[in-house]
Amino acid sequence: MAVKIRLARGGSKKRPHYSIVLTDSRNPRDGRFLEKLGVYDPMLNKDDEKRVVMNIDRIKELMATGAQPTDRVTRFLEAAGVLDKKVRNNPKAAVPGKQMAERAAKKAARAEAPAEE
């Protein structure tokens, strides 16, 4: 059984509230879980200590036995000092999309056209 530490969404529309849970990876996001490990409230300020509350000792135990945290939970653990910070690099993030590239090419062509006359 592949066990994950991930977020389960709760709260009403446009008022999200997440639980950090231990669950089988095959279960749906908000479905059955094995254990609740903490909460995440994105509506609170980033510097609020109640924004992310986790049972860090239990999470360490579970990770030692093979539980895999998701990307977002990994970020929470890095911020708490449990995991080492990983350097992330997404070189495609700065590359413009197809339509933006076409617009930039047209704009460059217009800018050069009057200079030639």
Side-chain angles (χ1 to χ4, degrees):
M1 175 166 81
V3 182
K4 291 264 190 191
I5 300 172
R6 67 181 182 200
L7 298 176
R9 192 178 195 277
S12 58
K13 184 167 77 172
K14 299 193 181 192
R15 303 282 302 169
H17 185 271
Y18 296 91
S19 296
I20 301 170
V21 296
L22 175 74
T23 183
D24 185 350
S25 63
R26 296 170 291 190
N27 288 344
R29 179 192 69 186
D30 302 333
R32 188 169 52 111
F33 59 89
L34 304 171
E35 185 176 349
K36 185 174 176 182
L37 302 169
V39 294
Y40 165 56
D41 190 356
M43 300 301 289
L44 296 176
N45 292 330
K46 290 190 178 191
D47 58 349
D48 193 338
E49 60 189 34
K50 293 181 183 175
R51 185 176 166 105
V52 179
V53 179
M54 298 182 283
N55 184 350
I56 293 178
D57 295 332
R58 183 67 178 139
I59 290 174
K60 285 181 183 178
E61 289 176 24
L62 293 167
M63 287 176 57
T65 59
Q68 295 293 315
T70 57
D71 292 340
R72 181 56 51 185
V73 175
T74 301
R75 294 235 179 162
F76 295 153
L77 294 172
E78 287 173 357
V82 175
L83 297 176
D84 295 332
K85 289 208 178 230
K86 195 166 58 169
V87 177
R88 293 175 178 83
N89 182 15
N90 185 0
K92 291 185 179 181
V95 177
K98 187 168 65 172
Q99 287 184 341
M100 194 63 192
E102 290 172 4
R103 286 188 205 130
K106 286 180 184 178
K107 187 175 181 180
R110 280 189 302 225
E112 289 181 13
E116 293 174 0
E117 292 177 6

